[in-house]
Amino acid sequence: GSMRSTEKKESQKFDSLIVESMSAKMYPDDNVVARRYRDAARNRWLTVDEIVTLIQNQHILGLQSAHPSSAPPSGSLFLYDRHAVRKYKVDGHSWIRKRSNPSKVREDHVKLRLKGEHCVGGTYVHSADVVTMHRRTYRLTKKINQVGSHGRPQEIVLVHYLDTDEARELSADALRVRSPCKRDYALAD
């Protein structure tokens, strides 16, 4: 299927902003690009194109050097090098466990396509406490040969937390346009 025109336009805007940020050599979270992605992540799951862009352009969000010290809230986005931060999945949330092995978290695996080609592998996990809270972890199926500080090629993962009820409410609030009441315009006699 083809991308909807709004998603396509949004994707093109992101691409042009990425070029701007790279040329300006801006730092993570100090630029409009990171804010745009983080705002999108609070309202919805990211598109495959956005996921690939963030993983390939680590400078947008910046790599995390440790796993979260407390449970990340809905809308959080993190980039990790799996070799440098091995316990990035230890995040303070309680996830649904496997029936066959209760010591392991149940992960649903997916392969995502971009332009008809499998390019992103993902795992989805579901909260044991809040039915609408989820964590999605994405990685590129084709390796980027950048060597990390540990001396091995980096394996970058993007981790996205989203409470779908919270995101739905945020999206609805953003779309809701207050119409002026007629009585506000009534002229005094």
Side-chain angles (χ1 to χ4, degrees), residues 1-105:
S2 63
M3 290 175 93
R4 285 182 269 154
S5 64
T6 55
E7 284 180 328
K8 197 169 191 173
K9 286 177 187 172
E10 195 172 301
S11 176
Q12 289 169 344
K13 285 180 195 173
F14 277 118
D15 291 345
S16 64
L17 286 171
I18 288 162
V19 171
E20 287 173 29
S21 74
M22 288 192 312
S23 63
K25 295 187 179 170
M26 294 177 163
Y27 295 98
D29 290 329
D30 193 27
N31 66 64
V32 73
V33 180
R35 278 195 304 276
R36 297 269 315 252
Y37 279 106
R38 290 190 190 287
D39 287 346
R42 278 190 270 284
N43 293 301
R44 60 177 172 80
W45 293 113
L46 299 178
T47 65
V48 179
D49 194 33
E50 291 168 336
I51 292 163
V52 170
T53 300
L54 286 172
I55 293 173
Q56 288 179 336
N57 298 281
Q58 301 163 24
H59 64 277
I60 295 172
L61 297 178
L63 280 176
Q64 299 296 310
S65 57
H67 63 82
S69 56
S70 60
S74 177
S76 297
L77 279 179
F78 299 101
L79 274 179
Y80 297 103
D81 176 353
R82 285 183 51 187
H83 297 301
V85 184
R86 292 189 178 273
K87 294 187 178 190
Y88 66 91
K89 292 180 181 179
V90 177
D91 57 15
H93 282 286
S94 177
W95 303 109
I96 293 177
R97 305 248 167 217
K98 288 183 173 185
R99 283 190 207 118
S100 61
N101 186 352
S103 67
K104 292 187 176 183
V105 171

Side-chain angles (χ1 to χ4, degrees), residues 118-134:
H118 287 291
C119 61
V120 175
T123 59
Y124 298 175
V125 298
H126 312 278
S127 174
D129 302 325
V130 181
V131 179
T132 55
M133 184 65 176
H134 309 278

Side-chain angles (χ1 to χ4, degrees), residues 141-183:
T141 54
K142 293 185 170 108
K143 305 285 184 268
I144 301 173
N145 292 324
Q146 290 180 296
V147 177
S149 58
H150 43 72
R152 292 201 309 250
Q154 289 180 320
E155 191 171 338
I156 306 302
V157 292
L158 175 65
V159 183
H160 184 183
Y161 296 85
L162 191 67
D163 182 325
T164 51
D165 270 359
E166 206 174 293
R168 193 175 300 117
E169 287 173 24
L170 284 170
S171 295
D173 287 346
L175 293 174
R176 198 173 292 127
V177 177
R178 295 183 66 190
S179 59
C181 295
K182 287 181 183 171
R183 69 172 180 260

